[in-house]
Amino acid sequence: MQGKQIRLMTIGHGPRKVLFIGGIHGDEPEGVVTTAELPGAFEAAGLADRVTLSILEDANPDGRAARTRGNANGIDVNRNFPASNFDGADPSNGGKALSEPESRAVYHTVDRLKPDLILVAHSWTGRQFINFDGPSREIAERFSASSGLRVEESNSFAPTPGSLGSCFGRDRGIPVLTIEVLKGSDPAAVWEQLRDALLQSISG
Ligand SMILES: [Zn+2]
């Protein structure tokens, strides 16, 4: 870590608990406007009595500042979680699960909040889709209908050992939606595209 904080904001006080993570790969900043606009839209939609929404602004602020996928140690934070499929043989995964301060921060946040749903913003070169782990096919399909992002199963697009989705979705049964918008998209347009789908899945 280079001393940049990982910031967590909590709004609303309802029984449904949702965690939104604004980014975990530093070179995928397309969700930045979405992350900034979400609190206001959440309040405006009147969801505060229904949902407690925690927003982890950016799980990899050093990578974001340096525009690198990994953190300051060159580790892919989204391969460093203690999932049953963790791959310690690839040094870019960190060698040992939770070796990185960023993955530890996310891990302990999820452990403490025990969310009913986790949403994570990413981007992908050449196409956009919504990926899900854990018991979240239906919620992914609703998200797809509202946003236009096609649903893709985990592992159908890339192996993701030690990912947040593998750890919390597949291993622990927490619904995880991984939102992959088109890399290089205008962040303001991404928010317009995702707003209704996000509010709907947050609302439950
Ligand atoms: Zn990503």
Side-chain angles (χ1 to χ4, degrees):
M1 283 288 271
Q2 298 184 323
K4 286 183 203 65
Q5 287 190 321
I6 294 177
R7 286 195 290 256
L8 182 73
M9 166 199 249
T10 299
I11 50 174
H13 45 261
R16 177 171 165 80
K17 288 172 285 182
V18 178
L19 173 63
F20 178 87
I21 300 175
I24 193 164
H25 287 139
D27 59 346
E28 300 172 5
E30 290 81 358
V32 66
V33 172
T34 298
T35 308
E37 295 287 346
L38 194 53
F42 175 90
E43 299 280 1
L47 295 176
D49 289 338
R50 183 180 172 84
V51 182
T52 302
L53 175 64
S54 299
I55 298 176
L56 206 153
E57 183 185 38
D58 186 346
N60 181 9
D62 291 339
R64 181 72 63 96
R67 299 196 178 97
T68 57
R69 177 177 174 92
N71 66 2
N73 298 329
I75 304 302
D76 187 337
V77 178
N78 202 36
R79 298 290 180 271
N80 192 238
F81 291 98
S84 52
N85 64 3
F86 178 78
D87 177 6
D90 180 345
S92 70
N93 297 336
K96 197 165 149 278
L98 298 182
S99 61
E100 305 307 300
E102 294 88 352
S103 51
R104 287 197 297 273
V106 173
Y107 183 84
H108 293 306
T109 298
V110 174
D111 230 25
R112 183 168 58 81
L113 296 175
K114 299 184 173 47
D116 300 298
L117 171 68
I118 303 172
L119 299 142
V120 193
H122 285 259
S123 65
W124 197 268
T125 301
R127 63 199 169 97
Q128 52 184 356
F129 54 95
I130 180 88
N131 163 243
F132 67 93
D133 290 287
S136 44
R137 175 181 286 280
E138 271 180 46
I139 198 161
E141 281 170 357
R142 285 206 303 276
F143 195 100
S144 171
S146 182
S147 65
L149 266 59
R150 203 174 58 208
V151 176
E152 290 205 17
E153 296 244 27
S154 260
N155 274 346
S156 70
F157 64 100
T160 57
S163 70
L164 188 147
S166 298
C167 179
F168 294 111
R170 271 181 263 174
D171 288 0
R172 302 198 185 179
I174 300 173
V176 177
L177 291 189
T178 302
I179 306 162
E180 299 278 4
V181 300
L182 201 58
K183 196 156 194 159
S185 297
D186 168 26
V190 168
W191 165 237
E192 290 305 318
Q193 181 183 12
L194 299 183
R195 177 175 49 203
D196 292 351
L198 281 171
L199 291 173
Q200 196 176 65
S201 46
I202 288 167
S203 166

